[in-house]
């Protein structure tokens, strides 16, 4: 099956710092999502980004599908950004279904 | 508020108990999913339902039994679980399966502990 690798696995930042999270995938995909899971386990969809660049406030994401990677940028980090960031890719399975495959996530801690 | 509600939020059960997890979505979506999240592991897809029909069963043991009575509700019936089944169980929904460009919306999860 498709492999999804996220880096770094762990990241510690001081409030106000910027960071870049990376997601590499082993095969061509139809779509890619970034999620944030907060310390209470809630999983929130951040971006749905099969290609190109999107921005939402302090967060932005870029996917280069031809080179099989996506980047999530966090600028001016805040303590509320702490949690785990997951990348999930979708590819077509037999039968025409598009099923997401998740990476292991990047665990981010932002200190005040 | 994601539009996907899971109950209970926490569940502690013995290995011989029978319990059910419930998921309800208020988004008008046609596809629903069960995921398992264990410590230090990626999210594992368990089941996918599209219009109340199961379209994917990702080699899940039979002690987990899903039920989808309608497109808004999804259950996961649990029976004779093992300690390694302790995990966070997440429900998600999307507009459809089999059509690309459909972001998923997740519930808050049920934290399950098996004694």
């Amino acid at each position: 099956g498709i492999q999804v690798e996220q880096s770094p696995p762990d990241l510690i930042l001081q409030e106000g710092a910027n960071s870049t999270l990376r997601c590499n995938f082993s095969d061509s995909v139809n779509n890619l999502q970034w999620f944030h899971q907060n310390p209470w386990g809630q999983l929130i969809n951040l971006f749905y980004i099969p290609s190109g660049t999107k921005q939402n406030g302090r967060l932005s994401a870029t996917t280069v599908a031809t080179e099989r990677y996506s980047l999530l940028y966090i600028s001016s980090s805040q303590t509320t950004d702490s949690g785990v960031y997951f990348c999930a890719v979708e590819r077509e399975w037999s039968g025409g279904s598009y099923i997401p495959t998740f990476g292991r996530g990047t665990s981010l801690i932002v200190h005040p | 508020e994601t539009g996907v509600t899971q109950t209970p939020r926490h569940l502690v059960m013995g290995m011989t108990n029978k319990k059910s997890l419930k998921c309800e979505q208020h988004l008008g979506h046609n596809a629903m999913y069960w995921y398992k999240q264990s410590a230090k592991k990626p999210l594992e897809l368990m089941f996918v339902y599209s219009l109340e029909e199961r379209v994917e069963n990702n080699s899940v043991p039979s002690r987990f039994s899903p039920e989808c009575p309608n497109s808004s509700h999804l259950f996961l019936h649990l029976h004779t679980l093992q300690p390694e089944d302790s995990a966070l169980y997440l429900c998600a929904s999307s507009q459809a399966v089999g059509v690309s460009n459909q972001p998923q919306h997740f519930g808050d999860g049920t934290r399950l502990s098996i004694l």
Side-chain angles (χ1 to χ4, degrees):
Chain A
I2 191 168
Q3 305 299 312
V4 181
E5 306 262 347
Q6 290 188 244
S7 60
D10 300 282
L11 185 58
I12 299 175
L13 298 175
Q14 205 66 34
E15 199 168 30
N18 303 326
S19 63
T20 301
L21 282 57
R22 187 175 181 102
C23 173
N24 292 333
F25 40 97
S26 61
D27 205 345
S28 59
V29 298
N30 299 91
N31 284 298
L32 184 143
Q33 300 179 72
W34 282 99
F35 293 90
H36 174 224
Q37 187 174 40
N38 65 23
W40 296 270
Q42 295 171 316
L43 205 65
I44 304 297
N45 188 303
L46 297 175
F47 293 102
Y48 198 84
I49 183 165
S51 63
T53 297
K54 290 185 178 179
Q55 179 145 14
N56 184 3
R58 296 180 296 104
L59 302 181
S60 64
T62 295
T63 297
V64 185
T66 53
E67 297 186 24
R68 299 181 185 170
Y69 73 89
S70 183
L71 303 174
L72 178 68
Y73 306 96
I74 304 174
S75 64
S76 305
S77 59
Q78 300 177 358
T79 56
T80 51
D81 295 331
S82 297
V84 182
Y85 289 81
F86 288 101
C87 166
V89 301
E90 289 182 3
R91 62 185 180 85
E92 186 173 1
W93 287 44
S94 60
S97 300
Y98 291 88
I99 305 298
T101 300
F102 283 77
R104 288 182 174 269
T106 291
S107 177
L108 173 64
I109 298 175
V110 180
H111 289 301
Chain B
E1 177 59 50
T2 64
V4 181
T5 304
Q6 289 187 244
T7 54
R9 291 296 310 275
H10 303 272
L11 178 62
V12 179
M13 57 187 286
M15 289 192 285
T16 58
N17 292 156
K18 289 183 183 180
K19 296 286 185 183
S20 296
L21 309 185
K22 179 182 176 181
C23 177
E24 183 175 2
Q25 56 96 1
H26 312 276
L27 301 167
H29 288 166
N30 292 320
M32 296 187 77
Y33 310 76
W34 278 118
Y35 289 87
K36 176 184 178 182
Q37 187 178 28
S38 304
K40 305 295 184 184
K41 287 186 176 182
L43 276 162
E44 301 172 57
L45 179 66
M46 299 176 74
F47 300 104
V48 182
Y49 275 82
S50 175
L51 294 170
E52 301 119 60
E53 288 193 21
R54 192 188 307 179
V55 297
E56 193 71 36
N57 175 354
N58 209 19
S59 302
V60 179
S62 60
R63 58 186 183 268
F64 295 92
S65 174
E67 178 191 1
C68 188
N70 55 63
S71 58
S72 298
H73 293 86
L74 185 65
F75 295 90
L76 188 62
H77 304 300
L78 315 172
H79 175 50
T80 320
L81 295 194
Q82 305 298 310
E84 61 265 28
D85 297 323
S86 298
L88 179 69
Y89 288 84
L90 288 158
C91 173
S93 71
S94 65
Q95 184 60 48
V97 173
V99 177
S100 193
N101 298 317
Q102 302 297 336
Q104 288 190 312
H105 298 260
F106 281 80
D108 290 344
T110 294
R111 178 74 61 185
L112 176 65
S113 298
I114 306 300
L115 302 179

